[in-house]
Amino acid sequence: MPLQLSEYNRQWRYRARPAEHVDVDANVMAVEAVLLVILVSVSLGNTQREVLKLECQPAVGVVGQNTKISCSIKKNFEADHIIIIVVAVTKRGETDPVFWFQNDTVKGDHRFKSPSTNDPSLLLTDTAVSDEGRYDYTVVTNRGIIEDGTFRISVTAKYNQPTISAWPEKIEEGGPAELNCNASGGYPAGAIHWFDNTNTNWTKSATQEITEREDKLLRLSSKLIFTKIDFSWAPFRCVVLNSKFIQEGATTSHLRFTDDDHSGHTDFMRTSITAVLLVIGLIIVGLLLALLYRRRHAQRAFPGRTRQAEADADADIEADEAVADNPLKPNGDAEMKI
């Protein structure tokens, strides 16, 4: 097979070179081989370089309580133990660390508790809404620096028991009415739902407002307005749902209607009559017990007289029965003698 032109020229030039040029090429090839060996060694060394990685789980905290940020150090080599020397926690969007620890010295937010020498997990006490967000976490150990750590804190708070108010104070059948329900102290934003006594949802007819307090906690206010209210819908129930639509509280309204005054008077009269009858019954029972007591007391004090009286009463009864059986015998007279 004929040689290509480039291959032919290369072989020709090599054959035409003097001996000293051949030695120079050999030296260059030797240097290249040494560099290749060094490059391979460095590459192999880089693949076996110690690697440390910090992994943290998302944390969910409750306002006013402790929040644990669980973290761990991952490594690609065997080691007896890794000692934590310095830690720094910086909230995203801020330049200065919110917490910094080195050689038993703590700076920044003292609500953060320093980790142990071999556990990078953190503890945040008295959690607040302002603590919510993402953080960058840097750890310096005896085996290297970890700068890619990150974690997120989410904050929740339960709403207080809702309260209901009504306008006007006394509501008329078929008249206008306004119901207000308020719940505060929760986070994040929730919702208020309205239900009548048949469990019909009236929330679409209500308007809700969410306001933020100074402590970043939220206040929910819902207003349900009727142009014509029906007594049969009452009572109404106000239900507070959190951000996950889980019920956290409920209150039932106690509305006052104009007919309540008349019904209240009727109920008072019924109660009064019942009380009078109860008193009369107690008096009768008391008199009967007194008479029974006096009779038993008399029997114990004069047992002979009592027996004689009972015998005389029995004799009188027998005499009356005999007279009734003999109609020819005159009442109260002795027998006639012949």
Side-chain angles (χ1 to χ4, degrees), residues 73-143:
I73 297 176
K74 304 297 182 181
K75 57 185 183 300
N76 66 340
F77 59 92
E78 297 294 333
D80 295 337
H81 61 278
I82 297 177
I83 300 175
I84 298 175
I85 303 173
V86 179
V87 298
V89 178
T90 305
K91 192 173 185 179
R92 291 282 178 90
E94 299 181 5
T95 56
D96 298 330
V98 295
F99 172 72
W100 185 74
F101 167 79
Q102 180 181 14
N103 297 330
D104 297 331
T105 300
V106 178
K107 294 183 179 180
D109 194 341
H110 288 271
R111 294 180 303 134
F112 280 95
K113 300 304 178 183
S114 58
S116 62
T117 57
N118 57 1
D119 185 2
S121 298
L122 299 172
L123 183 67
L124 175 63
T125 62
D126 193 18
T127 305
V129 175
S130 58
D131 297 323
E132 188 173 61
R134 184 170 292 279
Y135 295 79
D136 293 322
Y137 190 10
T138 301
V139 178
V140 179
T141 71
N142 60 330
R143 303 300 292 266

Side-chain angles (χ1 to χ4, degrees), residues 67-302:
T67 302
K68 183 178 181 180
I69 302 101
S70 299
C71 301
S72 60
I73 297 176
K74 304 297 182 181
K75 57 185 183 300
N76 66 340
F77 59 92
E78 297 294 333
D80 295 337
H81 61 278
I82 297 177
I83 300 175
I84 298 175
I85 303 173
V86 179
V87 298
V89 178
T90 305
K91 192 173 185 179
R92 291 282 178 90
E94 299 181 5
T95 56
D96 298 330
V98 295
F99 172 72
W100 185 74
F101 167 79
Q102 180 181 14
N103 297 330
D104 297 331
T105 300
V106 178
K107 294 183 179 180
D109 194 341
H110 288 271
R111 294 180 303 134
F112 280 95
K113 300 304 178 183
S114 58
S116 62
T117 57
N118 57 1
D119 185 2
S121 298
L122 299 172
L123 183 67
L124 175 63
T125 62
D126 193 18
T127 305
V129 175
S130 58
D131 297 323
E132 188 173 61
R134 184 170 292 279
Y135 295 79
D136 293 322
Y137 190 10
T138 301
V139 178
V140 179
T141 71
N142 60 330
R143 303 300 292 266
I145 302 176
I146 310 174
E147 298 180 320
D148 59 349
T150 181
F151 61 86
R152 177 175 179 79
I153 297 178
S154 301
V155 180
T156 63
K158 185 177 181 180
Y159 286 91
N160 298 326
Q161 190 71 7
T163 58
I164 296 180
S165 61
W167 180 89
E169 183 178 355
K170 294 181 180 180
I171 302 174
E172 295 182 0
E173 170 73 21
E178 178 181 306
L179 304 181
N180 294 277
C181 181
N182 299 292
S184 62
Y187 188 86
I192 292 179
H193 283 208
W194 291 93
F195 299 90
D196 61 14
N197 63 354
T198 62
N199 210 34
T200 301
N201 195 328
W202 288 78
T203 306
K204 291 183 178 180
S205 301
T207 57
Q208 179 173 297
E209 182 181 357
I210 301 176
T211 56
E212 185 179 279
R213 305 190 322 191
E214 292 183 359
D215 56 3
K216 303 297 182 179
L217 294 176
L218 303 178
R219 182 176 184 269
L220 306 179
S221 301
S222 180
K223 182 182 296 184
L224 182 61
I225 298 177
F226 299 93
T227 55
K228 294 182 179 180
I229 192 170
D230 191 330
F231 288 175
S232 62
W233 298 338
F236 285 88
R237 189 162 49 96
C238 165
V239 178
V240 177
L241 306 177
N242 60 18
S243 59
K244 296 181 179 179
F245 289 92
I246 299 176
Q247 179 175 328
E248 290 191 350
T251 299
T252 301
S253 64
H254 299 283
L255 305 179
R256 294 185 59 186
F257 298 98
T258 53
D259 290 348
D260 288 347
D261 296 336
H262 176 71
S263 61
H265 178 71
T266 303
D267 293 340
F268 175 76
M269 293 296 296
R270 291 177 181 175
T271 303
S272 300
I273 294 173
T274 303
V276 170
L277 293 177
L278 180 60
V279 171
I280 294 174
L282 291 175
I283 293 174
I284 294 174
V285 172
L287 292 174
L288 292 176
L289 291 175
L291 292 174
L292 180 61
Y293 173 77
R294 292 187 62 183
R295 182 175 181 181
R296 289 185 176 180
H297 180 71
Q299 290 177 353
R300 292 176 181 175
F302 307 99

